[in-house]
Amino acid sequence: MRFPDLDWLPRNPAWTDDFKAATSHGKPDIGELQRLANHCLDFLKTNRFGNYLARAFDGTPDGLSARPVRLALLGSSTLDYLQPAIRVAALRRLAWITTYAGGYNQYRQELGDPPEELRRFAPDMVVLAIHAEELLGSEGDVGLSAEAAAAKVEAAVGALRRVWRDARQNLSARIIQQTFLPTPLSLLGSNEHRLPGSPQRLVAALNERLRDAAAEDDVDLLAIDDAVRTDGLDAWHDRALWLRAKQQISPAAAPMYGELAARIVAARLGRSAKCLVLDLDNTIWGGVIGDDGLDGILLGEGSAGGEAFGSFQRYAKSLSQRGIILAVCSKNDEENAWLPFDEHPEMVLKRSDIACLVANWEDKPANLRRIAGSLNIGLDSLVFADDNPFERELVRRELPMVAVPELPDDPALYAATLARAGYFEAVAVTDDDLRRSGLYQDNRKREELLASTTDLGSYLRSLSMELRWSHFTRIDLKRVTQLINKSNQFNLTTRRLAEEEVADAAADSECLTLQLRLVDRLGDNGIIGVVIARQVPASAAMHVELWLMSCRVLGRQVEAATLNLLADLARRRSAKRLIGTYIPTAKNGMVRDHYRKLGFTEGDVAAGGATTWTLDLDTFKPIATEIELREAAPSKAAALSKA
């Protein structure tokens, strides 16, 4: 029987022996366990691995990149066997998910009046896995009119919305709604749409209506129906197991189910990849540009191979258009590497699509480090696509935090493999996402201009920079939340906030919230900074709870300009001091001296190395910068809070 295969991950014939070696003695190493998780595993291996993770750690292990998440699985079928796969899939992303499975078909009672065990678990997120018959009824009237069928679907959506309301009110949890498996059998065949009341047609209509309702109610979807279209229903659903054990998802499909669920959680945590790094020769064109020349590489219409490479380029370009950064890492001379981008008529990708190109004869792990450094993003934000198995394995060994899909031999399957891997999962797309490729191109122009000048001050003046600020706005709430959860390096405390928590801070009269946008003559950098400060009237102080910035604007005096703004607004609220905290993490060492450089005085050192810093606002004088501060126009801001 077919089952969904995690075929973008490498296979390891010795995996069982490696797993025994890693788990048989001493304290387990989370890095080694993550390496083991990044293999193509079947249900039995996944189940064994996931159950081990639940037993091996008392709490959250050290060395993870995201805050831990408590995830409850509630629904109308048996769900406990899906938990191990979710844990393993989370570990692939250096995230940690603790799970809870509700009783069979108890979701209404569990959400309406949560049992004590569920209340103690206090889930951050709830996956609702409900089968369609539960909402539509098993004894349908096949002869329903189109109007009556639509009303039945609308009633089912209304019932779902009541469940969502209960989850929010009684558990304060974010909701992930599983779409409905298309399990009903056909009654008419190819023209099933002519029978609006057929169970198959009702489920299809319910899934379609569900997408609109979820978007309206800010509910994330786990799109099982999309997966079925790719893999086939038999790969996901075993009718015998459903009737016998009420397992709606086949156990063989559990590893992929865990993947889909963990991707959504990771996207909410800002753990999705940001950058696709492409090899060149035999990856985005056929042949070797340095040997075959411009006329000799295989690309474009006229041959199946050439069209396959063109198709992969089109997919990469589409990813770029939705906000994924494109980079190149190639063993090549740089001039040869750029040649097809500039001159080949069948190239879909152009020089302007590539944010960073590193082409030389050094090893690829070293060059991937250069790319991450140039783009000011973490190595764990990279996905590296290379046709060469040697290069893939070398990067996996040297840089285990970089995602490396196992590309198939046929380039026609490259795009589908990358899409199936889900590295770039997103739960929302902001305007800045759609503009990101242009933002990095503009940044490259700034770097080139900087490299051509020896006077930093005159260079910064020449940019005519404006730091446009406003309090948090409804329009940019998703982007602000996204930046909070994705920023790791320039992030003083690395606190993570859900969108609802960001909105709550904006509505709190004691909080000062700032979103910062940097604009210069070369373009708009988008929202590049977020500050949340809380006033403590009794001490005449304002505590900076969150201060983070996009690393792409560092070195332009934005930090000083932000402090000037923050100090001015704090004084307007009669604050006498600013108090900031730096909490060290594995990634934010670059801001260790942030407060010291801005004139704060160091105070107490807490456990874990956290330091407290104070700035006296009575004696503070604004720092000279080449940045003009400007408040965003109220008509565009749609502010959620007031100064």
Side-chain angles (χ1 to χ4, degrees):
M1 182 177 180
R2 287 185 66 245
F3 59 90
D5 193 12
L6 280 61
D7 53 8
W8 65 91
L9 294 172
R11 300 176 189 276
N12 178 9
W15 187 91
T16 299
D17 292 338
D18 290 347
F19 178 75
K20 287 180 180 177
T23 59
S24 60
H25 56 82
K27 184 179 179 180
D29 178 76
I30 199 66
E32 178 62 17
L33 293 178
Q34 194 238 0
R35 188 188 69 80
L36 288 168
N38 272 295
H39 286 89
C40 184
L41 307 178
D42 61 18
F43 170 68
L44 292 178
K45 289 187 176 72
T46 300
N47 203 51
R48 178 183 179 187
F49 196 176
N51 285 331
Y52 166 79
L53 293 175
R55 297 191 309 269
F57 296 95
D58 182 16
T60 305
D62 295 330
L64 301 176
S65 300
R67 66 177 174 86
V69 169
R70 296 179 301 278
L71 181 73
L73 288 162
L74 307 177
S76 56
S77 59
T78 304
L79 297 168
D80 58 324
Y81 66 101
L82 299 173
Q83 296 179 87
I86 294 173
R87 299 185 199 113
V88 174
L91 184 58
R92 289 189 187 108
R93 294 154 179 83
L94 276 179
W96 192 259
I97 297 179
T98 305
T99 58
Y100 170 99
Y104 166 69
N105 207 19
Q106 297 296 306
Y107 70 97
R108 282 194 174 94
Q109 299 93 310
E110 289 167 328
L111 292 173
D113 184 15
E116 183 59 29
E117 184 181 4
L118 181 55
R119 287 188 183 276
R120 284 199 308 271
F121 182 72
D124 304 297
M125 302 183 186
V126 171
V127 172
L128 291 173
I130 304 168
H131 63 275
E133 287 182 354
E134 172 70 17
L135 297 172
L136 295 170
S138 57
E139 301 296 330
D141 182 356
V142 173
L144 287 176
S145 66
E147 292 77 11
K152 191 167 193 174
V153 167
E154 201 59 40
V157 170
L160 269 181
R161 281 181 149 149
R162 289 190 289 275
V163 172
W164 299 345
R165 178 201 61 203
D166 287 346
R168 287 187 171 119
Q169 290 182 352
N170 298 331
L171 293 175
S172 300
R174 170 159 282 280
I175 301 151
I176 301 173
Q177 176 66 55
Q178 178 185 306
T179 58
F180 301 99
L181 274 177
T183 56
L185 301 173
S186 170
L187 299 179
L188 284 187
S190 296
N191 288 278
E192 195 79 9
H193 62 282
R194 299 185 186 277
L195 194 62
S198 81
Q200 189 179 90
R201 182 61 185 161
L202 285 171
V203 172
L206 179 57
N207 273 327
E208 184 176 351
R209 180 67 185 93
L210 172 61
R211 283 171 163 80
D212 292 335
E216 293 161 5
D217 289 22
D218 192 26
V219 167
D220 298 328
L221 290 184
L222 200 166
I224 296 296
D225 57 331
D226 285 346
V228 166
R229 276 192 287 272
T230 300
D231 301 315
L233 181 61
D234 287 347
W236 279 90
H237 180 71
D238 185 324
R239 294 185 186 276
L241 279 176
W242 169 243
L243 295 173
R244 191 167 59 238
K246 293 306 177 187
Q247 292 179 340
Q248 191 185 30
I249 304 296
S250 169
M256 182 63 85
Y257 187 96
E259 266 289 306
L260 296 180
R263 288 174 191 175
I264 297 169
V265 175
R268 281 290 170 193
L269 296 176
R271 291 292 304 139
S272 295
K274 301 176 183 177
C275 177
L276 173 60
V277 184
L278 298 163
D279 176 48
L280 297 180
D281 296 329
N282 293 309
T283 298
I284 67 170
W285 58 64
V288 179
I289 185 63
D291 294 337
D292 301 324
L294 195 64
D295 297 335
I297 61 173
L298 185 63
L299 181 62
E301 297 182 5
S303 73
E307 292 194 9
F309 289 111
S311 174
F312 186 41
Q313 287 194 33
R314 282 191 292 276
Y315 182 68
K317 192 176 185 79
S318 295
L319 286 173
S320 174
Q321 290 169 343
R322 61 133 284 204
I324 302 304
I325 308 163
L326 297 185
V328 166
C329 179
S330 174
K331 287 187 175 177
N332 248 311
D333 292 325
E334 185 172 334
E335 184 178 355
N336 282 335
W338 278 125
L339 187 62
F341 291 94
D342 295 334
E343 298 187 22
H344 199 292
E346 297 289 347
M347 279 290 290
V348 178
L349 295 173
K350 304 297 183 184
R351 183 186 286 255
S352 60
D353 295 310
I354 307 302
C356 179
L357 179 143
V358 176
N360 55 40
W361 300 101
E362 298 181 36
D363 66 272
K364 292 196 173 181
N367 285 336
L368 287 170
R369 290 188 182 96
R370 288 190 179 93
I371 289 170
S374 174
L375 297 173
N376 280 317
I377 58 178
L379 284 163
D380 56 359
S381 296
L382 304 183
V383 176
F384 178 52
D386 193 315
D387 70 291
N388 189 321
F390 170 82
E391 300 289 2
R392 294 197 298 262
E393 193 55 35
L394 177 63
V395 172
R396 289 186 187 117
R397 188 186 69 186
E398 297 298 317
L399 301 176
M401 70 291 291
V402 174
V404 185
E406 190 69 0
L407 293 184
D409 294 334
D410 187 349
L413 302 178
Y414 286 179
T417 299
L418 193 60
R420 187 171 171 79
Y423 297 121
F424 306 109
E425 184 88 16
V427 289
V429 178
T430 67
D431 288 342
D432 277 359
D433 290 330
L434 300 176
R435 297 172 52 249
R436 183 167 290 117
S437 179
L439 296 178
Y440 276 90
Q441 291 300 324
D442 291 342
N443 211 38
R444 192 168 69 183
K445 294 176 186 175
R446 296 181 186 97
E447 291 172 356
E448 291 170 353
L449 181 59
L450 176 59
S452 68
T453 184
T454 57
D455 184 349
L456 179 60
S458 64
Y459 163 69
L460 293 176
R461 280 192 297 276
S462 75
L463 289 177
S464 302
M465 294 180 288
E466 288 183 2
L467 190 63
R468 298 178 183 173
W469 65 273
S470 72
H471 304 294
F472 290 173
T473 71
R474 290 183 177 85
I475 294 172
D476 291 313
L477 192 60
K478 289 186 182 298
R479 172 58 181 151
V480 168
T481 305
Q482 184 185 76
L483 191 60
I484 289 171
N485 288 297
K486 282 190 175 183
S487 297
N488 293 304
Q489 297 179 89
F490 194 117
N491 192 329
L492 276 298
T493 58
T494 61
R495 287 184 60 199
R496 305 306 189 190
L497 300 177
E499 189 172 317
E500 296 83 357
E501 293 174 298
V502 177
D504 288 345
D508 189 337
S509 61
E510 293 185 349
C511 277
L512 172 63
T513 64
L514 295 174
Q515 58 186 52
L516 307 165
R517 178 180 293 270
L518 184 66
V519 179
D520 60 37
R521 67 177 177 82
L522 294 176
D524 183 348
N525 292 271
I527 296 176
I528 52 81
V530 173
V531 177
I532 298 177
R534 185 177 298 276
Q535 194 166 7
V536 184
S539 63
M542 181 163 282
H543 291 254
V544 182
E545 296 184 348
L546 197 71
W547 186 342
L548 57 92
M549 288 184 175
S550 169
C551 291
R552 68 175 182 268
V553 300
L554 298 187
R556 300 189 215 169
Q557 303 177 340
V558 178
E559 305 96 305
T562 300
L563 176 60
N564 292 343
L565 172 63
L566 182 57
D568 179 52
L569 295 176
R571 282 169 171 159
R572 294 186 201 178
R573 289 172 170 241
S574 302
K576 298 295 185 181
R577 293 183 304 281
L578 282 177
I579 298 176
T581 301
Y582 167 66
I583 301 175
T585 70
K587 291 190 174 184
N588 72 352
M590 67 181 300
V591 292
R592 181 182 296 109
D593 294 323
H594 170 74
Y595 285 120
R596 188 192 312 278
K597 291 175 180 177
L598 293 177
F600 285 66
T601 301
E602 186 174 4
D604 296 335
V605 179
T611 51
T612 301
W613 301 81
T614 302
L615 183 73
D616 186 339
L617 293 176
D618 287 337
T619 60
F620 172 74
K621 295 181 179 179
I623 302 169
T625 73
E626 301 296 341
I627 299 176
E628 179 184 353
L629 292 171
R630 177 172 294 183
E631 185 173 4
S635 60
K636 295 181 180 179
L640 288 163
S641 66
K642 297 179 180 179

